[in-house]
């Protein structure tokens, strides 16, 4: 089962400097953490278009909680953790959890992603 560390970075005072440091320094430190099996990031946007309190979200996946603990307590994990204070002027929140897959089963039929489209055939009879 996958165990995920989710890091949410608040809005930085200097977004360009944050992005440069994250890209050029921090991502490499994170990638060096032993036991890391997946690492992804994305700039956060609110669903309603209002300013988001989150600037960047990072997901770091490990095979287990034990693997995450071991990786984060390693020299590389401690270096990545210590680096956060050097660039995350908007703060950072870290949470971790076991990933539970809730993906729906594919539906049967000609259009497995949704209902069948209404027919517009001129030869079809309509009541």
């Amino acid at each position: 089962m996958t165990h995920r560390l989710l890091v949410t970075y608040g809005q930085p005072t200097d977004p360009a400097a944050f992005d440069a440091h994250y890209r050029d320094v921090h991502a490499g430190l994170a990638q060096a953490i032993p036991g890391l099996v997946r690492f992804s990031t994305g700039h956060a946007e609110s669903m309603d278009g209002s300013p988001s309190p989150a600037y960047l979200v990072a997901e770091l996946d490990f095979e287990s909680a034990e693997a995450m603990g071991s990786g984060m307590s390693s020299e590389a994990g401690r270096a990545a953790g210590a680096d956060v204070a050097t660039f995350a002027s908007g703060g950072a929140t870290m949470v971790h959890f076991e990933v539970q897959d809730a993906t729906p089963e594919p539906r049967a039929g000609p259009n497995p992603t949704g209902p069948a489209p209404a027919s517009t055939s001129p030869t079809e009879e309509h009541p």
Side-chain angles (χ1 to χ4, degrees), residues 3-118:
H3 196 82
R4 180 166 294 156
L5 172 62
L6 182 70
V7 184
T8 305
Y9 295 94
Q11 293 290 335
T13 54
D14 184 344
F18 177 101
D19 289 342
H21 184 91
Y22 199 94
R23 178 188 64 244
D24 299 338
V25 178
H26 193 72
L29 294 172
Q31 290 167 343
I33 298 171
L36 183 69
V37 296
R38 183 177 159 273
F39 174 45
S40 62
T41 65
H43 285 91
E45 296 181 28
S46 67
M47 294 294 288
D48 64 3
S50 65
S52 173
Y55 180 70
L56 185 87
V57 177
E59 295 178 335
L60 294 87
D61 288 354
F62 298 85
E63 287 188 9
S64 66
E66 294 77 20
M68 183 200 73
S70 179
M72 294 306 293
S73 64
S74 71
E75 184 177 333
R78 289 190 310 271
D83 185 55
V84 171
T86 70
F87 70 93
S89 58
T93 302
M94 299 181 197
V95 297
H96 64 97
F97 53 92
E98 289 293 322
V99 175
Q100 303 295 319
D101 187 356
T103 305
E105 294 293 323
R107 292 188 268 182
N111 184 2
T113 60

